[in-house]
Amino acid sequence: MESLSFSEVDYVGCCGSSQFAKQMSLASPFPSLPNAISAARDIWFNKVDVNGWLEAFASHPQIGNTPSTKINKTQTSAQWSKVEQSTALATATSSTLEELSEWNAQYRQKFGFIFIICASGRSSHEILAELKKRYLNRPIVEFEIAAQEQMKITELRLAKLFSAKEMTAEARDHNPQVMMKKAEEDRVGIIGGHVIAASETSLGTPSQITMRTRPPITTHILDVSRGSPAAGVEVSLEMWKGTKPRPLFGEADIGGWSFIGSSTTDKDGRSDQLMSISEFLNPGIYKISFNTGKYCPAGFFPYVSIAFEIRESQKAEHFHVPLLLSPFSFSTYRGS
């Protein structure tokens, strides 16, 4: 697949932070959406400062208000905000909107910025309940949560940005040979998604974790065909315990995988704990499996399994292994 490049304006539309947009522009082009998301997470959490975070927060309309270019920095981001809040607005009553407005004002007075939440697919009642819950947080805790929610929004918008570019390219490419080559590359990409080696260079030197606050292996699922998290998907985690050191391609692995834990993704597409919180991971080969057939019965994949290896030198790191899914393709990446 040809690497895709976008302008700073495009990246501003995805995030709202000029610092983020500049760094993404410098890091581009990206060979795939997972590469772009991996870079985006590194830039957002490690290179954008407090002012950049606040700039991004300020680029969103208040939940319940009509998006416009006066707040959203681009016409595209205004349109995306409108779509992302469509479920909330469609389920809101006049009393709910009034209560949202009152709680938004209280929230802003306490924390100094508007309430940030990935609103895609969420009703007004869900958002209001989350607002009330997060209002009780300490400012330093809430600031971090808001940044995490902003990253979810950015990931969704990057997926839309890449999807639009790819559709434009497909419409332009009428040469049969070009189309055949692209189809072959897509097939290779799908097969390669089954075994993803943990990258040791994409994000520089791994950070040292002294005390975990979450399980060392986590995941979430993004439905890129709808531009929203995939909720209600069954997920399981296993570790290789076979007689051979590792599963081998083309050989049966019956009885080799040992079950660790399972969960179902929530409305944010994130799974609950798949394993206990421990300081160090046992080095070895792990496999996350997703019941995609139940989630998307008309799709191409009855299930998706992603195998990956954790080495001795990585046992103190965190491994976030997401699934970016559509009915006829999927991809993954090593997150943090």
Side-chain angles (χ1 to χ4, degrees):
M1 175 181 173
E2 181 183 352
S3 295
L4 297 180
S5 183
F6 302 92
S7 67
E8 282 192 33
V9 174
D10 291 324
Y11 292 124
V12 167
C14 290
C15 178
S17 164
S18 54
Q19 291 182 35
F20 173 86
K22 183 176 181 180
Q23 290 292 332
M24 284 292 288
S25 182
L26 291 172
S28 63
F30 300 104
S32 66
L33 174 60
N35 288 93
I37 289 178
S38 181
R41 291 185 66 84
D42 178 45
I43 290 168
W44 177 246
F45 290 113
N46 299 318
K47 297 178 182 177
V48 176
D49 61 23
V50 170
N51 291 326
W53 282 14
L54 291 173
E55 182 187 12
F57 297 167
S59 71
H60 293 283
Q62 182 174 289
I63 296 292
N65 287 358
T66 302
S68 71
T69 51
K70 292 181 179 179
I71 298 175
N72 298 86
K73 292 190 173 184
T74 69
Q75 185 64 46
T76 301
S77 62
Q79 182 61 35
W80 282 340
S81 291
K82 184 178 180 180
V83 173
E84 289 157 4
Q85 293 195 29
S86 60
T87 301
L89 293 175
T91 57
T93 62
S94 57
S95 60
T96 304
L97 289 174
E98 184 177 349
E99 194 173 3
L100 269 172
S101 179
E102 292 172 355
W103 275 95
N104 270 312
Q106 293 180 52
Y107 179 97
R108 187 163 194 162
Q109 184 175 10
K110 177 178 180 179
F111 297 110
F113 50 86
I114 70 165
F115 178 64
I116 301 296
I117 187 171
C118 184
S120 292
R122 289 190 169 191
S123 70
S124 57
H125 297 288
E126 287 180 283
I127 292 173
L128 181 58
E130 188 68 15
L131 197 164
K132 292 178 179 179
K133 176 184 174 182
R134 284 169 50 186
Y135 179 77
L136 301 175
N137 290 333
R138 292 179 297 145
I140 191 170
V141 173
E142 182 57 22
F143 195 46
E144 175 67 24
I145 293 174
Q148 294 282 356
E149 291 295 313
Q150 173 61 56
M151 191 64 237
K152 294 178 189 177
I153 297 169
T154 301
E155 288 184 18
L156 288 174
R157 293 183 176 185
L158 281 170
K160 294 174 183 177
L161 194 65
F162 270 70
S163 178
K165 192 97 167 190
E166 288 170 354
M167 288 175 65
T168 300
E170 287 179 5
R172 187 179 63 243
D173 295 337
H174 296 293
N175 188 319
Q177 292 183 342
V178 173
M179 295 176 69
M180 288 176 64
K181 181 179 179 182
K182 184 181 184 301
E184 179 62 26
E185 289 173 345
D186 289 343
R187 285 194 292 273
V188 172
I190 291 171
I191 294 170
H194 281 283
V195 182
I196 301 297
S199 169
E200 298 176 344
T201 58
S202 60
L203 296 181
T205 304
S207 58
Q208 297 299 313
I209 301 173
T210 56
M211 187 170 66
R212 294 190 192 273
T213 58
R214 55 183 175 172
I217 298 176
T218 56
T219 187
H220 77 269
I221 308 176
L222 174 64
D223 186 336
V224 295
S225 66
R226 298 190 306 165
S228 63
V233 181
E234 298 169 355
V235 184
S236 68
L237 177 65
E238 300 168 277
M239 184 179 182
W240 177 253
K241 296 287 187 178
T243 56
K244 296 182 179 180
R246 61 177 59 233
L248 299 176
F249 178 78
E251 292 190 9
D253 56 11
I254 299 174
W257 292 102
S258 176
F259 177 80
I260 297 177
S262 62
S263 178
T264 302
T265 56
D266 60 18
K267 59 181 178 293
D268 294 323
R270 298 184 181 275
S271 71
D272 201 356
Q273 286 193 196
L274 295 171
M275 65 189 311
S276 60
I277 300 176
S278 58
E279 190 71 12
F280 299 105
L281 269 169
N282 290 323
I285 297 176
Y286 292 81
K287 180 173 68 174
I288 295 182
S289 298
F290 306 86
N291 190 355
T292 51
K294 184 177 180 181
Y295 172 76
C296 184
F300 187 63
F301 308 103
Y303 68 91
V304 170
S305 290
I306 300 169
F308 53 97
E309 183 172 8
I310 297 175
R311 296 174 172 82
E312 176 71 29
S313 62
Q314 299 172 310
K315 62 183 182 181
E317 298 177 34
H318 179 79
F319 293 82
H320 188 65
V321 187
L323 178 68
L324 285 70
L325 177 70
S326 75
F328 300 101
S329 68
F330 70 84
S331 60
T332 185
Y333 61 94
R334 158 76 196 279
S336 59

